[in-house]
Amino acid sequence: MSKRQFGLADLLVVLPWWVSALLAGGSYGLLAWVAPRLEFANPYLQPIAKTTAPLLAPLLALAFLAVAAVSALMARRRRKLLDGQRDLESLRQTTWQDFERLVGEVYRRQGYRVVETGGGGADGGVDLKLAKGGETWLVQCKRWRQEKVGVKVARELFGVVASERATGGILITTSTFTAEAESFGRGKPLRLIAGEELLRMVEGVRKGGGSPATPPAPTATWKDHLHHRPY
């Protein structure tokens, strides 16, 4: 999977657009008006503050404004995508990319920072990273119609949770899970969410509910299972 880390751009894109807009105004004022008027003891900093900083001011402000525009467009698209779901069949008819975005939006509305790793392709890998309260959850999305998600997928996700030293893993599907997969997940820091539960989560966050999408406190960590790893 992708080793991408949470960065400033990731954070700003998922925050409201006006956060980046405020940063644009603040950075412009700091570089164009404040910095040239400061007195520095270091003689090399003074010409930079008086000449270079004003030149950088509009460039940095434009960069923040571009992020603000992307943030607004992405937020609008995610809202329309999530609010347009009415039943399980509509979830199954989304593209796999939109399905990942939809799941990410469910957790964003719960206050999680969400990073789309881009490492999974149409059918594999960890698709999302969630961060909140010092915890990191790895999410794998399976937009399947009828086929049940088997234990192999759950084992692979647990392996990634262990290697990444994450809090836990969340396996989400529009289908259901085999009995073996559900049995494997019990007692481990894994949450398996089938189609009907996912639909309730979508309806819950659309109505402003706070609890349906929140991962439960793990009953165990990946360390508790290292002595009998299934991979």
Side-chain angles (χ1 to χ4, degrees):
M1 62 170 286
S2 171
K3 297 297 182 180
R4 183 182 176 189
Q5 301 296 315
F6 290 117
L8 179 60
D10 296 311
L11 177 60
L12 290 177
V13 164
V14 301
L15 288 174
W17 65 269
W18 51 263
V19 175
S20 294
L22 287 176
L23 288 174
S27 63
Y28 185 88
L30 180 64
L31 294 177
W33 300 326
V34 178
R37 290 169 173 77
L38 295 177
E39 296 295 332
F40 295 92
N42 189 324
Y44 295 103
L45 294 179
Q46 199 67 50
I48 293 176
K50 289 186 177 299
T51 59
T52 305
L55 293 176
L56 292 177
L59 298 178
L60 188 57
L62 284 174
F64 280 124
L65 288 176
V67 174
V70 172
S71 176
L73 289 173
M74 290 181 62
R76 182 174 181 271
R77 180 179 179 182
R78 289 193 300 265
R79 284 196 302 271
K80 290 181 64 177
L81 180 63
L82 190 147
D83 293 338
Q85 304 306 315
R86 291 295 179 266
D87 52 33
L88 194 53
E89 187 58 30
S90 69
L91 290 172
R92 290 171 176 165
Q93 289 179 354
T94 61
T95 65
W96 64 265
Q97 298 98 328
D98 279 346
F99 182 60
E100 292 174 10
R101 296 185 185 105
L102 185 148
V103 172
E105 178 66 8
V106 168
Y107 285 100
R108 281 189 181 93
R109 294 194 188 188
Q110 297 297 309
Y112 286 86
R113 286 188 295 161
V114 179
V115 168
E116 299 172 4
T117 66
D123 190 31
V126 171
D127 303 305
L128 305 170
K129 281 187 176 182
L130 313 179
K132 182 180 180 181
E135 295 184 344
T136 299
W137 291 79
L138 308 182
V139 182
Q140 188 172 18
C141 304
K142 294 293 185 183
R143 185 192 55 81
W144 292 1
R145 298 186 66 85
Q146 301 296 333
E147 183 182 359
K148 292 185 177 182
V149 180
V151 68
K152 183 177 182 291
V153 178
R155 284 175 175 168
E156 291 174 348
L157 178 57
F158 179 68
V160 178
V161 168
S163 65
E164 295 284 317
R165 300 176 182 268
T167 305
I170 304 172
L171 185 56
I172 297 183
T173 182
T174 51
S175 181
T176 57
F177 298 95
T178 64
E180 189 178 9
E182 293 177 345
S183 176
F184 176 82
R186 295 190 187 100
K188 295 182 178 67
L190 294 176
R191 183 178 181 190
L192 276 57
I193 300 175
E196 292 296 338
E197 183 179 358
L198 172 59
L199 184 59
R200 290 193 295 270
M201 290 167 56
V202 170
E203 292 172 346
V205 296
R206 192 166 56 216
K207 296 175 182 177
S211 61
T214 305
T219 57
T221 69
W222 55 268
K223 294 180 181 178
D224 299 321
H225 299 275
L226 288 180
H227 64 285
H228 56 84
R229 292 192 299 178
Y231 49 92

